[in-house]
Amino acid sequence: MLRQARQREDVEAARARAEREVMRDPLTGLGNRRRFDLLLDRIDHGRLSPPLVLLLVDVDHFKAINDAYSHSVGDRALREVARILRAQLPGRGRPGRYAGDEFTVFLSGDLVVGREVAERIRTAVARSDILPASA
C-alpha cells in the first residue's frame, strides 16, 4: 500500500510538472498563449482582482533582425526581451510570449502604474544590446 501511495504521488507530481510546461514558452521561459488565455478566463470569472493593466509589447522591426542576421540571433533577441521583462517586473506582473515577437504583461495596478512600467520596459529594451557585437 505504501508503494502505491508513493506511485500516486509520483504520478501527481509528473502531471503537475507537465501542466506547468504546457503553459510555458520553451524559447523564453515565459508564459505562453495558453497561459494568456487562462489568465483572461480568470479575469472573466472575477478570479484576478482589479485594478489590472494589460501591456502589449511588440518588438519593432523583428523580421529585419531574422532576415539580416539569422533566426538564431532573432531567438537571442527574444530571450533578451524576456529577460528585460522579468527584470522590470519583479513580483509585480505576469509576462508572457503571446506569439512570435509579441509579448504581454498582466500587471497589478492602475493606468499610471501601467504607463510607468511600460516606459521602463521600453527604455530598457532601447538601451540593451539586443544584437550582440558578433552578429
Side-chain angles (χ1 to χ4, degrees):
M1 222 160 44
L2 186 57
R3 189 176 75 211
Q4 287 176 335
R6 282 191 200 137
Q7 286 175 336
R8 243 189 329 264
E9 287 176 3
D10 291 345
V11 167
E12 281 300 310
R15 185 191 59 74
R17 278 192 306 276
E19 284 180 6
R20 279 191 307 274
E21 285 302 306
V22 79
M23 298 288 183
R24 188 176 82 70
D25 174 56
L27 179 67
T28 64
L30 298 178
N32 61 15
R33 172 70 185 270
R34 285 184 182 107
R35 178 76 172 144
F36 176 86
D37 291 341
L38 178 67
L39 289 170
L40 278 183
D41 185 62
R42 287 182 180 169
I43 291 167
D44 287 346
H45 290 91
R47 292 188 301 246
L48 281 180
S49 55
L52 191 65
V53 176
L54 173 61
L55 303 178
L56 303 175
V57 179
D58 184 82
V59 179
D60 289 341
H61 312 293
F62 182 72
K63 184 177 180 329
I65 293 171
N66 278 339
D67 291 348
Y69 298 102
S70 78
H71 287 274
S72 63
V73 172
D75 287 351
R76 283 194 307 244
L78 293 174
R79 284 192 295 271
E80 177 64 9
V81 170
R83 185 198 64 74
I84 290 168
L85 290 174
R86 279 190 215 90
Q88 296 301 319
L89 302 167
R92 295 193 61 198
R94 296 178 176 155
R97 181 171 176 216
Y98 187 76
D101 66 335
E102 298 164 344
F103 295 84
T104 62
V105 176
F106 285 97
L107 182 65
S108 296
D110 59 14
L111 289 177
V112 172
V113 170
R115 277 191 208 106
E116 290 171 359
V117 171
E119 182 57 25
R120 279 200 326 263
I121 291 168
R122 189 201 63 74
T123 300
V125 170
R127 288 182 179 160
S128 74
D129 289 329
I130 294 282
L131 295 178
S134 62

